[in-house]
């Protein structure tokens, strides 16, 4: 599949969609929960099958050909992650494989951050993003407190309506003892780009930034060589980027503070997961991440533009993103995630109703920090295998519930 196959008649989408066996096997169902986990293309499944039937061995622990080949695959995958992220200084950076974003963020918190803070330091963290990007920093504070070191956690400020970071208020949250910032690239509820470049501008050139990229890597271009993405850690999950569950990575720039070196004895890596991630990144590059982004953005625009006309629904997130008006250059910043509530039907009930019509969506509090059951909502999250026809069918069902 080549990136230049994209055309207006839909053949590009047909060819891409045909590469997902679970999707083609169930044409009566619409999988709209890719923010939770993505489906896997045949190329990833083939890579895993080939590895397990020809090369399977432990990495870094043997000298026979299978073990050597496995070790080579793991190291190749490290370099592939750097390449995929547009790393301009790969000789300095490192990649540590994890089970996913949650473990990756905890690795940064426990094995790096606690060694870089002293009494009275402050860190800025998100209190309304995914809980995985809050709990590790609270854990780091507890670990430091056990050592007798007191650090202050300050909340990143938010805009009340849109859910975006309030970058104007951010300047007031930054102080002379600010030593670290944890941020999210694309919000898992609102789907918005959180404008990390504005965080860098507010904190200055010396403060490390850790980026939760669970909803961006594999969905849109993430280029750490771009000055607008001057972050020190990029943490992501392979299973949200077309690879297998239990795979993920931490990319570390290693220019502000010491290099990331995960503590303790490093046991057997998830070799199958790493192989699947390598294959997924290759597949995404072959298809064209820019084309994936453009396709998913069009679908999200189609959904938000029509859903906002249904009075029974409240769409969460930035109101400016609810229009398909191309004359507005800042419109539609939702990267494949649209979250909403029915004004009368509870979200969990709405989730069951939608499944009865063949739609698989997420319907709960979405692991959002600070949220509870009363804050439930329905999230539609899209990927390259979704179609406009699925969106139109979904809208027809939603309209019938007004």
């Amino acid at each position: 599949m080549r990136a230049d196959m994209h055309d207006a008649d839909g053949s590009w989408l047909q060819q891409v969609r045909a590469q997902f066996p679970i999707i083609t096997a169930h044409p009566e169902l619409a999988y709209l929960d890719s923010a939770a986990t993505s489906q896997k293309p045949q190329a990833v499944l083939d890579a895993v099958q080939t590895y397990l039937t020809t090369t399977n061995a432990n990495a870094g622990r043997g000298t026979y050909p299978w073990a050597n080949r496995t070790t080579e695959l793991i190291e190749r995958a490290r370099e592939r992650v750097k390449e995929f992220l547009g790393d301009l200084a790969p000789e300095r950076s490192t990649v540590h494989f994890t089970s996913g974003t949650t473990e990756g963020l905890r690795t940064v918190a426990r094995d790096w951050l606690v060694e870089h803070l002293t009494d009275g330091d402050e860190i800025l963290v998100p209190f309304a993003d995914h809980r995985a990007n809050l709990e590790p920093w609270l854990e780091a504070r507890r670990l430091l407190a056990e050592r007798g070191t007191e650090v202050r956690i300050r909340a990143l400020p938010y805009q009340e309506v849109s859910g975006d970071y309030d970058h104007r208020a951010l300047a007031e949250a930054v102080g002379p003892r600010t030593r670290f910032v944890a941020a999210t690239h694309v919000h898992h509820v609102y789907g918005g780009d959180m404008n990390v470049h504005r965080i860098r501008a507010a904190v200055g050139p010396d403060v490390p930034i850790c980026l939760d990229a669970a909803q961006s890597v594999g969905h849109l271009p993430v280029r750490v060589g771009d000055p607008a993405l001057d972050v020190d850690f990029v943490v992501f999950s392979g299973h949200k980027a077309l690879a297998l569950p239990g795979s993920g990575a931490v990319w570390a720039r290693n220019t502000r503070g010491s290099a990331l070196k995960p503590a303790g004895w490093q046991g057997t890596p998830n070799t199958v997961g790493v192989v699947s991630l390598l294959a997924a990144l290759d597949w995404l590059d072959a298809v064209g991440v820019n084309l994936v982004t453009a396709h998913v953005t069009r679908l999200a625009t189609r959904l938000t533009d029509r859903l906002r006309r249904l009075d029974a629904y409240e769409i969460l997130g930035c109101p400016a993103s609810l229009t398909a008006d191309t004359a507005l250059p800042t419109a539609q910043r939702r990267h494949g995630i649209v979250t909403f509530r029915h004004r009368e039907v509870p979200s969990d009930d709405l989730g069951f109703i939608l499944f009865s019509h063949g739609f698989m969506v997420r319907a709960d509090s979405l692991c959002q920090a600070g949220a509870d059951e009363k804050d439930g909502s329905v999230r539609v999250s899209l990927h390259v295998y979704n179609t406009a026809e699925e969106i139109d069918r979904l809208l027809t069902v939603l309209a019938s519930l007004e």
Side-chain angles (χ1 to χ4, degrees):
M1 174 62 65
R2 301 189 311 273
D4 59 4
M5 287 184 178
H6 191 253
D7 51 44
D9 65 7
S11 64
W12 176 84
L13 176 59
Q14 292 174 8
Q15 293 179 59
V16 169
R17 185 177 166 90
Q19 296 182 52
F20 291 84
I22 196 171
I23 298 295
T24 57
H26 299 281
E28 76 285 4
L29 300 176
Y31 183 76
L32 304 175
D33 195 22
S34 292
T37 196
S38 61
Q39 299 304 335
K40 322 305 175 192
Q42 188 65 53
V44 170
L45 304 177
D46 289 344
V48 169
Q49 179 76 4
T50 298
Y51 170 74
L52 289 175
T53 56
T54 65
T55 310
N56 181 44
N58 212 330
R61 289 166 170 81
T63 57
Y64 51 90
W66 291 0
N68 291 338
R69 175 58 177 160
T70 297
T71 301
E72 290 171 2
L73 284 170
I74 299 297
E75 293 309 310
R76 178 185 164 200
R78 293 188 203 279
E79 298 307 310
R80 190 69 182 89
V81 169
K82 296 180 184 183
E83 181 183 16
F84 190 80
L85 296 179
D87 187 349
L88 300 181
E91 71 284 352
R92 178 182 297 170
S93 64
T94 53
V95 171
H96 174 65
F97 291 115
T98 68
S99 64
T101 303
T102 299
E103 184 192 347
L105 293 170
R106 291 191 74 207
T107 297
V108 176
R110 295 175 301 171
D111 299 342
W112 189 89
L113 182 60
V114 294
E115 303 301 329
H116 288 77
L117 297 178
T118 58
D119 208 55
D121 284 346
E122 298 181 349
I123 64 175
L124 283 169
V125 304
F127 275 72
D129 296 357
H130 199 288
R131 288 185 62 186
N133 203 14
L134 173 61
E135 296 295 336
W137 319 118
L138 300 178
E139 181 182 5
R141 181 177 63 179
R142 290 193 297 269
L143 292 172
L144 286 163
E146 292 173 1
R147 302 180 184 183
T149 300
E150 296 296 330
V151 299
R152 181 181 181 187
I153 291 183
R154 304 191 67 174
L156 280 168
Y158 291 85
Q159 298 178 26
E160 184 175 349
V161 175
S162 68
D164 296 337
Y165 299 138
D166 188 335
H167 298 282
R168 295 178 180 176
L170 181 61
E172 299 179 3
V174 175
R177 298 300 299 272
T178 301
R179 297 289 183 263
F180 179 83
V181 179
T184 299
H185 197 187
V186 171
H187 201 280
H188 75 293
V189 176
Y190 310 117
D193 185 324
M194 302 299 277
N195 292 297
V196 179
H197 66 284
R198 295 180 180 173
I199 296 178
R200 171 56 68 200
V203 303
D206 301 323
V207 176
I209 298 175
C210 179
L211 191 65
D212 174 352
Q215 300 299 342
S216 55
V217 171
H219 300 259
L220 66 151
V222 179
R223 313 298 290 178
V224 296
D226 187 336
L229 203 64
D230 182 12
V231 298
D232 299 88
F233 304 96
V234 172
V235 187
F236 66 95
S237 298
H239 74 96
K240 298 179 190 290
L242 310 182
L244 294 186
S247 62
V250 179
W251 170 89
R253 193 183 295 274
N254 298 328
T255 59
R256 299 177 179 96
S258 62
L260 172 66
K261 295 180 180 179
W265 176 260
Q266 300 300 299
T268 300
N270 178 6
T271 54
V272 176
V274 174
V275 167
S276 77
L277 179 59
L278 176 60
L281 299 185
D282 286 345
W283 189 89
L284 284 162
D285 265 348
V287 170
V289 179
N290 282 316
L291 296 182
V292 174
T293 305
H295 171 69
V296 171
T297 299
R298 281 193 295 271
L299 295 183
T301 301
R302 190 184 192 97
L303 177 57
T304 54
D305 187 55
R306 300 182 187 185
L307 185 60
R308 72 187 179 97
R309 305 174 193 177
L310 302 179
D311 293 336
Y313 297 92
E314 171 197 9
I315 305 178
L316 307 186
C318 180
S321 69
L322 304 183
T323 176
D325 185 356
T326 56
L328 298 175
T330 60
Q332 188 41 35
R333 301 295 301 279
R334 295 170 188 259
H335 292 287
I337 295 174
V338 181
T339 304
F340 54 90
R341 296 189 182 105
H342 194 287
R343 300 188 190 279
E344 296 182 1
V345 180
S347 294
D348 53 352
D349 290 345
L350 183 55
F352 284 116
I353 292 171
L354 291 176
F355 179 70
S356 72
H357 289 274
F359 300 100
M360 292 176 279
V361 299
R362 179 80 177 266
D364 53 33
S365 60
L366 307 179
C367 298
Q368 186 173 15
D372 55 32
E373 292 182 1
K374 67 178 175 47
D375 298 311
S377 54
V378 172
R379 182 181 67 187
V380 171
S381 52
L382 308 161
H383 217 304
V384 67
Y385 34 73
N386 293 120
T387 67
E389 186 271 338
E390 290 175 335
I391 297 301
D392 291 344
R393 285 196 290 116
L394 174 65
L395 287 162
T396 296
V397 174
L398 293 173
S400 72
L401 301 174
E402 272 207 293

